Amino acid sequence: MEIQENYKTLLKEYHNYNVLNQIDGILYWDFETKMPSEGVAQRSEQSALLATLMHEQLTKPKIGELLHAIKSDPAFDSFNDVEKRNVILIEREYNRKTKIPKDLVEKLAKQSKVTSSAWKKAKNQANYALFQPEFTKLLELVKERVKYLNPDKEPFDVLLDEYEPGMSSAQLTTLFNEVKNGIFPIIQRCMSSLRQPDLSLIEGKERECSLQIQKKLADELAKMVYYDLDKGRIDESEHPFTVGYYDDVRITTHYYENDFSSSFFSVLHEAGHGIYEQYLPKEYIYQPVGDSVSSGLHESQSRFIENLLGRSPEFWEYYLPCLKELTGDIFADVELESFIRAINKVEPSKIRIEADEVTYSLHVIIRFEIERDLLTGKISPNDLPTIWNQKYKEYLGVDIENDAEGVLQDIHWSEYDGFGIFPGYVLGNIYNAQMLAKLSKDIPDYKGSIKKGEFKPIIDWLIENVHQHANLYDPPELVKKITGETINPKYFIKYLEEKYSKIYGF
Amino acid sequence: MEIQENYKTLLKEYHNYNVLNQIDGILYWDFETKMPSEGVAQRSEQSALLATLMHEQLTKPKIGELLHAIKSDPAFDSFNDVEKRNVILIEREYNRKTKIPKDLVEKLAKQSKVTSSAWKKAKNQANYALFQPEFTKLLELVKERVKYLNPDKEPFDVLLDEYEPGMSSAQLTTLFNEVKNGIFPIIQRCMSSLRQPDLSLIEGKERECSLQIQKKLADELAKMVYYDLDKGRIDESEHPFTVGYYDDVRITTHYYENDFSSSFFSVLHEAGHGIYEQYLPKEYIYQPVGDSVSSGLHESQSRFIENLLGRSPEFWEYYLPCLKELTGDIFADVELESFIRAINKVEPSKIRIEADEVTYSLHVIIRFEIERDLLTGKISPNDLPTIWNQKYKEYLGVDIENDAEGVLQDIHWSEYDGFGIFPGYVLGNIYNAQMLAKLSKDIPDYKGSIKKGEFKPIIDWLIENVHQHANLYDPPELVKKITGETINPKYFIKYLEEKYSKIYGF
């Protein structure tokens, strides 16, 4: 049948796009971990060419023709779900990429570079004024891009389509308000508790762990959560990340001698991302359905392993003795309860990437609210630092003293693809708490397993219920499939309340 | 002017081809040094796609049109030498690639895989009969390819065009006969000398060097010969190799704890390749003239650093005390003269990659002679082992006892691009001895420099006289440019005679 031929050809074209993406991933990994310092200029040429090739590959007129032929064929109705989903996912991507004029793509790339270098300078001098003109130009281009994609939709929703398909900013606003209102009282109770964490139990001169020990720890942890080192590796980079696909998924970490916990939780976090990719269903490799679903779902998996498992009291009941054995006498004097409190310290702060499990979501919600309003024009670049600082005062109670620790703290608004991606971090928390609630029904004694260091049932549950669905469903549908419920932030709040009331004793 | 526009467009197309090549190099490096073991299948897809893209990029009809337009324009005559050479080099590559039908390219790739796996099996069982049928098929395809390239030329010469342009098999036969006849008596005198080398001075349990020390040695050596670690890195792989271009040129080595000299000379060898690439003239980057010239020239640079410098008595006069200091008491009892003899041991053997500086060329000459006659049909695959074994007996005096240590010893005839490449290894020896003779005229006290550990004048000479010419001239022309003479093997023989008569005392 002709439609089957067309479908096969379409998948073959996508296959090549996917393989180019894999190559791009290897180059990125190499850039961050191994590349000689002088290699930057050559690598830029390589990455730029790959970006062009990927764009060309997916915007070929041939793909448009194949999509049209397949979808207008009456036999399309009898395609199975996987086949239909593949067609739909390719169509989405094709439409998205062909709608943007080529010169706008180039302008966005160029302006991102200019804005990034303005950001660097502005951050060094803690002076937003140096950033504002280039940021304003970038924002206008981003808005232009959004209009090309869909001029009739709320701008932020157009971006969400790329990262969290099926979500809307209206829905996010409701969800995030519930999260905010749930988190505020928890923070207050933690802060006013008499049982305050003692960080000297985990960090500082006396708790120094050699790189050698930390590397051993990293390997052991990764294996413990079934990250497969025959399909991956652990390297060092400035910021931890995961990159890869199926049988070659690499994670990185950053070791600090005087704070083992930094790499410890990074490795768990990235291994969470890593196993998601490693356990995608083999039969879908190179197809759109064989991808991970969204940034929110990815983040749910990393945070599940890092926080719900790795920072749980049950995990440390099992692991603290192991840690003591592995590290000699560094933690010999440490007691379980105080240790658990130390690694779960709650404290409102100014810098997102240093934030704890409770306050982190507020950092992200602030960005979402500002970004949403920047895109509609409700906030102008001129107002940005004032609004940023107001929100930090209001939500986190901290005084931002200069732009370097405020709105300029990280590079993300310097790049055109930095817009729309943040909500995934809070959604990850919402999703994974909801998953944990379901898991606790399916495996009533999962806490008992953790205490014994038996993580297999939990990982298997994630593989079966999350990873194996790959990209068959958009996030809202997938969450329903996994948990039997629509997206519901009450589980996250309940999880935080239960955990932190015990730790902080309120 | 239109011709200038066309030329610019042509270079832009080549630029993309070149960048794809660089990406391919990074993937190869990653495959050999870092890739997780399970990543093989995905990497094959990546490499196959890149190969297709490279082929498509350089065989675009547009390139043919541009070449035609430029060369038929009267203004082409007023192009400068660099511009002309760029056009000629692209044309060569374009002609070569467009002459081979696409289905033959695919057949060659497929048959290479089949032949390689037959080779593996045959080698394991030391049974040539298992290899012969698949080898015969491959050889026929190679001959077919040669006919498409140029049906009127001696087959081996067609292949030489790809690796050593400007050379012919007739010329090689003459050169190599001279080398053979020069080497035979040197081997005999070494073997019958009473001063025989004592390998226990460098290898074995008592000379064990930790990986840590050997890595430090590798770094120090690389820097010593001006291999720039900001533009490169040293990793471990099964077999040492160099891959890269200009500002990102990576070398590898293999450490053996009980024989430091293996990695020691590998690092020097690969660093020799490395500096050639690192010191290519910056203004030619991404252009055909900015490449290295040929495998022979490349090999001349690696062997210059490894042998002419690194195995010279003068080098060790300087470096033995350094080695002793760096390695603690491992070599404390070792005397200079015996040590020099040990690292310059001469002994006819069966395995090419383990051969010494004197006998190595004979291994290569045997392959050249056989390969040349296989391609014309003078030797049939049926006769291969017999002829191989005869030549080993005749040239090296060794008895090949089975095919695994004979004709099956390495994979090179299992792959279609393994034909025509070997002569470069002997040419490298011929070229570099000829260069050394010229260098000794330009820098009369170069030996004094080496004894003091001052290598800069020598490296500078190589950069100025070899590397900086990049791919402006074909090898015969370049050798003349560098040395003032045509290719002349007498310098190599003279170099061997002088060096080994001193070491072995004859």
Side-chain angles (χ1 to χ4, degrees):
Chain A
M1 262 173 36
E2 207 197 333
I3 190 171
Q4 280 300 338
E5 273 312 305
N6 285 337
Y7 177 69
K8 260 172 72 181
T9 312
L10 184 67
L11 284 191
K12 177 83 194 99
E13 293 294 340
Y14 186 83
H15 173 284
N16 288 350
Y17 171 72
N18 176 295
V19 171
L20 287 172
N21 246 312
Q22 289 178 42
I23 295 172
D24 195 48
I26 298 291
L27 291 189
Y28 175 75
W29 171 85
D30 183 75
F31 177 82
E32 293 287 340
T33 62
K34 307 290 176 195
M35 197 186 77
S37 57
E38 296 284 315
V40 180
Q42 282 172 224
R43 181 55 47 87
S44 300
E45 294 289 336
Q46 295 161 15
S47 300
L49 178 61
L50 264 185
T52 305
L53 289 172
M54 283 190 275
H55 190 267
E56 284 174 3
Q57 176 61 27
L58 210 67
T59 56
K60 278 186 185 172
K62 189 181 172 186
I63 291 191
E65 289 154 26
L66 288 165
L67 283 168
H68 179 75
I70 292 167
K71 290 198 69 179
S72 60
D73 191 314
F76 181 61
D77 286 339
S78 55
F79 263 31
N80 67 30
D81 288 349
V82 172
E83 291 167 333
K84 273 188 189 147
R85 178 79 178 168
N86 271 330
V87 173
I88 287 163
L89 288 172
I90 294 176
E91 189 182 32
R92 257 189 211 170
E93 202 63 21
Y94 175 80
N95 286 340
R96 201 138 53 204
K97 289 227 157 78
T98 48
K99 273 181 185 165
I100 314 288
K102 217 179 160 185
D103 73 312
L104 181 57
V105 174
E106 278 164 26
K107 273 189 210 161
L108 282 161
K110 270 193 196 148
Q111 188 59 41
S112 293
K113 277 196 183 160
V114 176
T115 310
S116 298
S117 89
W119 167 76
K120 212 171 236 168
K121 209 169 156 190
K123 187 179 175 182
N124 277 336
Q125 303 188 28
N127 183 357
Y128 177 78
L130 297 176
F131 178 64
Q132 193 186 316
E134 299 305 336
F135 172 66
T136 307
K137 286 182 209 161
L138 182 67
L139 184 63
E140 286 313 308
L141 291 171
V142 169
K143 286 183 185 169
E144 209 181 312
R145 180 171 178 276
V146 165
K147 269 197 200 117
Y148 275 109
L149 288 171
N150 191 338
D152 305 320
K153 223 173 167 176
E154 164 89 18
F156 199 89
D157 291 2
V158 177
L159 297 177
L160 268 180
D161 279 348
E162 301 186 62
Y163 297 109
E164 213 62 31
M167 294 297 290
S168 70
S169 55
Q171 197 185 353
L172 283 185
T173 304
T174 312
L175 292 173
F176 287 2
N177 281 339
E178 203 173 333
V179 170
K180 265 195 314 203
N181 294 329
I183 288 176
F184 289 146
I186 301 174
I187 297 177
Q188 285 216 313
R189 281 184 222 153
C190 289
M191 297 303 290
S192 58
S193 161
L194 291 177
R195 295 196 209 154
Q196 285 301 315
D198 174 6
L199 286 194
S200 75
L201 298 176
I202 48 173
E203 59 180 55
K205 196 80 194 138
E206 275 178 44
R207 308 293 178 189
E208 249 183 45
C209 274
S210 71
L211 286 196
Q212 210 190 349
I213 289 180
Q214 291 200 45
K215 283 182 183 177
K216 218 172 138 188
L217 265 174
D219 270 8
E220 194 181 283
L221 282 175
K223 282 181 206 154
M224 207 187 274
V225 299
Y226 295 87
Y227 172 77
D228 186 344
L229 282 163
D230 289 333
K231 299 182 179 179
R233 43 180 294 134
I234 308 175
D235 292 273
E236 290 173 69
S237 62
E238 183 58 31
H239 298 291
F241 66 87
T242 301
V243 70
Y245 188 66
Y246 283 84
D247 293 336
D248 186 350
V249 183
R250 307 176 186 197
I251 66 175
T252 70
T253 184
H254 193 112
Y255 301 107
Y256 297 92
E257 291 210 321
N258 64 358
D259 181 7
F260 88 100
S261 74
S262 173
S263 167
F264 193 97
F265 292 109
S266 284
V267 168
L268 287 174
H269 182 99
E270 302 306 332
H273 284 303
I275 56 174
Y276 186 6
E277 295 286 337
Q278 287 184 337
Y279 295 105
L280 288 168
K282 207 57 196 252
E283 67 266 35
Y284 298 154
I285 190 169
Y286 302 115
Q287 298 175 30
V289 292
D291 273 335
S292 55
V293 184
S294 68
S295 54
L297 252 301
H298 235 301
E299 215 50 37
S300 80
Q301 297 309 287
S302 56
R303 277 155 203 274
F304 195 107
I305 301 298
E306 177 194 353
N307 292 332
L308 308 200
L309 178 66
R311 291 188 200 264
S312 71
E314 296 78 22
F315 176 81
W316 286 99
E317 202 169 305
Y318 162 69
Y319 201 71
L320 187 57
C322 306
L323 180 73
K324 287 183 180 184
E325 206 184 302
L326 255 158
T327 52
D329 50 7
I330 303 174
F331 300 100
D333 62 316
V334 167
E335 281 174 318
L336 181 61
E337 203 195 310
S338 330
F339 186 83
I340 290 169
R341 198 175 303 126
I343 58 152
N344 283 294
K345 183 179 195 290
V346 174
E347 185 176 50
S349 61
K350 299 172 185 177
I351 306 295
R352 175 184 60 90
I353 59 165
E354 293 165 8
D356 56 76
E357 192 185 7
V358 178
T359 59
Y360 186 86
S361 297
L362 295 178
H363 291 262
V364 174
I365 291 172
I366 290 172
R367 283 178 207 239
F368 160 68
E369 292 174 351
I370 292 178
E371 213 172 295
R372 180 194 59 197
D373 293 347
L374 274 171
L375 287 167
T376 56
K378 214 172 140 189
I379 296 179
S380 90
N382 195 33
D383 310 324
L384 191 47
T386 316
I387 290 174
W388 179 282
N389 297 356
Q390 274 170 3
K391 283 191 188 273
Y392 264 79
K393 184 70 185 168
E394 190 188 339
Y395 296 177
L396 286 150
V398 294
D399 293 304
I400 303 296
E401 277 156 43
N402 64 60
D403 298 330
E405 61 173 34
V407 66
L408 297 176
Q409 65 181 262
D410 59 40
I411 199 171
H412 78 284
W413 279 333
S414 304
E415 287 162 337
Y416 77 92
D417 51 4
F419 291 79
I421 201 168
F422 266 94
Y425 293 100
V426 181
L427 288 170
N429 287 333
I430 297 175
Y431 296 159
N432 71 12
Q434 213 169 331
M435 289 174 197
L436 183 67
K438 179 61 165 51
L439 181 146
S440 71
K441 279 183 201 153
D442 294 344
I443 312 173
D445 191 33
Y446 80 95
K447 287 191 179 178
S449 278
I450 299 179
K451 284 182 194 172
K452 282 182 277 178
E454 288 165 7
F455 307 131
K456 193 158 189 312
I458 294 167
I459 305 297
D460 281 346
W461 189 94
L462 290 174
I463 294 173
E464 192 191 324
N465 290 280
V466 186
H467 311 172
Q468 285 293 306
H469 290 305
N471 199 2
L472 283 171
Y473 315 100
D474 281 346
E477 208 182 339
L478 180 59
V479 170
K480 185 126 195 226
K481 197 117 198 146
I482 298 169
T483 66
E485 266 189 82
T486 53
I487 299 170
N488 185 344
K490 83 167 188 222
Y491 293 98
F492 176 47
I493 298 305
K494 202 172 151 225
Y495 156 79
L496 291 179
E497 275 168 356
E498 283 179 8
K499 177 175 173 183
Y500 287 89
S501 64
K502 269 188 207 138
I503 291 174
Y504 275 83
F506 56 78
Chain B
M1 259 173 38
E2 207 194 335
I3 190 170
Q4 280 301 338
E5 272 312 304
N6 285 336
Y7 177 70
K8 259 173 73 180
T9 313
L10 185 67
L11 285 191
K12 177 81 195 103
E13 293 294 338
Y14 187 84
H15 173 283
N16 288 350
Y17 171 72
N18 177 294
V19 171
L20 288 172
N21 248 311
Q22 289 179 41
I23 295 173
D24 195 47
I26 298 290
L27 290 190
Y28 176 75
W29 171 86
D30 183 75
F31 178 82
E32 294 288 340
T33 61
K34 307 291 174 193
M35 197 187 76
S37 58
E38 296 283 316
V40 180
Q42 282 172 223
R43 181 55 49 87
S44 300
E45 294 289 334
Q46 295 160 16
S47 299
L49 178 61
L50 264 185
T52 306
L53 289 173
M54 282 189 276
H55 190 268
E56 284 175 3
Q57 176 62 26
L58 210 68
T59 56
K60 278 186 186 172
K62 188 181 172 187
I63 290 189
E65 289 154 24
L66 288 165
L67 284 167
H68 179 76
I70 291 167
K71 289 197 68 177
S72 60
D73 192 313
F76 181 61
D77 286 338
S78 54
F79 262 31
N80 67 31
D81 289 349
V82 172
E83 291 166 334
K84 273 189 188 145
R85 178 81 177 165
N86 272 330
V87 173
I88 287 163
L89 289 171
I90 294 175
E91 189 181 33
R92 258 190 210 170
E93 202 64 21
Y94 174 81
N95 286 339
R96 202 137 53 204
K97 290 230 156 77
T98 49
K99 272 180 184 165
I100 315 288
K102 217 180 161 183
D103 73 314
L104 181 58
V105 174
E106 278 165 25
K107 274 189 210 162
L108 283 159
K110 270 192 195 148
Q111 188 59 41
S112 293
K113 276 196 183 161
V114 176
T115 310
S116 298
S117 88
W119 167 77
K120 211 171 238 170
K121 210 170 156 187
K123 186 178 176 183
N124 276 337
Q125 302 187 30
N127 183 356
Y128 176 77
L130 298 175
F131 178 65
Q132 193 186 313
E134 299 305 338
F135 172 66
T136 307
K137 286 183 210 161
L138 182 67
L139 184 63
E140 287 313 308
L141 291 172
V142 169
K143 286 182 186 170
E144 210 182 309
R145 180 171 178 274
V146 166
K147 268 195 202 120
Y148 275 110
L149 287 171
N150 191 340
D152 307 320
K153 222 174 170 176
E154 163 89 18
F156 199 88
D157 292 2
V158 177
L159 296 177
L160 268 179
D161 279 347
E162 300 185 65
Y163 298 110
E164 213 62 30
M167 295 297 290
S168 71
S169 54
Q171 197 185 352
L172 283 184
T173 304
T174 312
L175 290 173
F176 288 1
N177 281 339
E178 202 172 333
V179 170
K180 264 195 314 205
N181 295 328
I183 287 177
F184 291 145
I186 300 173
I187 296 177
Q188 286 214 313
R189 280 184 223 155
C190 289
M191 297 303 290
S192 59
S193 161
L194 292 176
R195 295 196 209 155
Q196 286 300 315
D198 174 5
L199 286 195
S200 76
L201 297 176
I202 47 172
E203 59 181 52
K205 195 81 196 139
E206 274 178 43
R207 307 293 179 189
E208 249 183 44
C209 276
S210 70
L211 286 197
Q212 210 190 348
I213 289 179
Q214 291 200 46
K215 282 182 185 178
K216 218 173 138 188
L217 265 175
D219 270 7
E220 194 181 281
L221 283 175
K223 282 181 207 155
M224 208 187 273
V225 298
Y226 295 88
Y227 172 77
D228 186 344
L229 282 162
D230 290 332
K231 299 181 177 180
R233 42 181 295 133
I234 309 174
D235 292 273
E236 290 172 70
S237 62
E238 185 57 31
H239 298 290
F241 65 87
T242 301
V243 71
Y245 187 67
Y246 283 84
D247 293 336
D248 186 350
V249 183
R250 307 177 186 198
I251 66 176
T252 70
T253 185
H254 194 112
Y255 299 107
Y256 298 92
E257 290 210 322
N258 63 359
D259 181 6
F260 88 100
S261 75
S262 174
S263 166
F264 192 96
F265 292 111
S266 284
V267 168
L268 287 175
H269 183 98
E270 303 306 331
H273 284 304
I275 56 175
Y276 186 3
E277 295 286 338
Q278 287 184 338
Y279 295 104
L280 289 168
K282 207 58 196 253
E283 67 267 33
Y284 299 155
I285 189 169
Y286 302 114
Q287 297 175 31
V289 292
D291 272 334
S292 55
V293 183
S294 68
S295 55
L297 252 299
H298 235 302
E299 215 51 37
S300 79
Q301 296 310 287
S302 56
R303 278 155 203 274
F304 195 107
I305 301 297
E306 177 194 353
N307 292 333
L308 308 200
L309 178 66
R311 291 187 201 264
S312 71
E314 296 78 22
F315 175 80
W316 286 100
E317 202 168 307
Y318 162 68
Y319 200 72
L320 188 58
C322 306
L323 181 72
K324 288 184 180 182
E325 205 185 302
L326 255 158
T327 53
D329 50 8
I330 304 174
F331 300 100
D333 62 316
V334 167
E335 281 173 320
L336 182 61
E337 203 194 310
S338 332
F339 187 84
I340 290 168
R341 198 177 304 123
I343 58 152
N344 284 295
K345 183 179 194 290
V346 174
E347 186 176 50
S349 62
K350 301 172 185 178
I351 306 295
R352 175 184 57 91
I353 59 166
E354 292 165 9
D356 57 74
E357 191 185 6
V358 178
T359 60
Y360 185 88
S361 296
L362 296 177
H363 292 262
V364 174
I365 291 170
I366 291 173
R367 284 178 206 238
F368 160 68
E369 292 174 352
I370 293 178
E371 212 173 295
R372 179 194 59 196
D373 294 348
L374 274 171
L375 286 168
T376 57
K378 214 173 141 189
I379 297 179
S380 89
N382 196 32
D383 311 323
L384 191 47
T386 316
I387 290 175
W388 180 282
N389 298 356
Q390 275 171 2
K391 284 192 187 271
Y392 264 79
K393 183 71 184 166
E394 189 188 340
Y395 295 178
L396 286 149
V398 294
D399 293 304
I400 302 296
E401 278 156 43
N402 64 61
D403 298 330
E405 61 175 32
V407 66
L408 297 176
Q409 66 181 261
D410 58 40
I411 197 170
H412 78 283
W413 279 333
S414 303
E415 287 162 337
Y416 78 92
D417 52 3
F419 291 80
I421 200 168
F422 267 93
Y425 293 102
V426 181
L427 288 171
N429 288 333
I430 297 175
Y431 297 159
N432 71 13
Q434 212 168 332
M435 289 175 197
L436 183 67
K438 179 60 165 52
L439 181 146
S440 71
K441 279 183 203 154
D442 294 344
I443 312 174
D445 190 32
Y446 80 96
K447 287 190 180 180
S449 277
I450 298 179
K451 285 181 194 173
K452 282 183 277 178
E454 287 164 9
F455 309 130
K456 193 157 191 311
I458 294 167
I459 305 298
D460 281 344
W461 190 94
L462 292 173
I463 294 174
E464 192 190 325
N465 290 280
V466 186
H467 311 172
Q468 285 293 307
H469 290 305
N471 199 2
L472 281 172
Y473 315 100
D474 281 346
E477 207 182 340
L478 179 59
V479 170
K480 184 126 196 228
K481 197 118 200 147
I482 298 169
T483 67
E485 265 190 83
T486 53
I487 299 170
N488 186 345
K490 82 165 190 223
Y491 294 99
F492 177 47
I493 300 304
K494 201 173 153 227
Y495 155 79
L496 291 179
E497 275 169 355
E498 283 180 8
K499 176 174 174 183
Y500 287 89
S501 64
K502 270 188 207 139
I503 291 174
Y504 275 83
F506 56 78

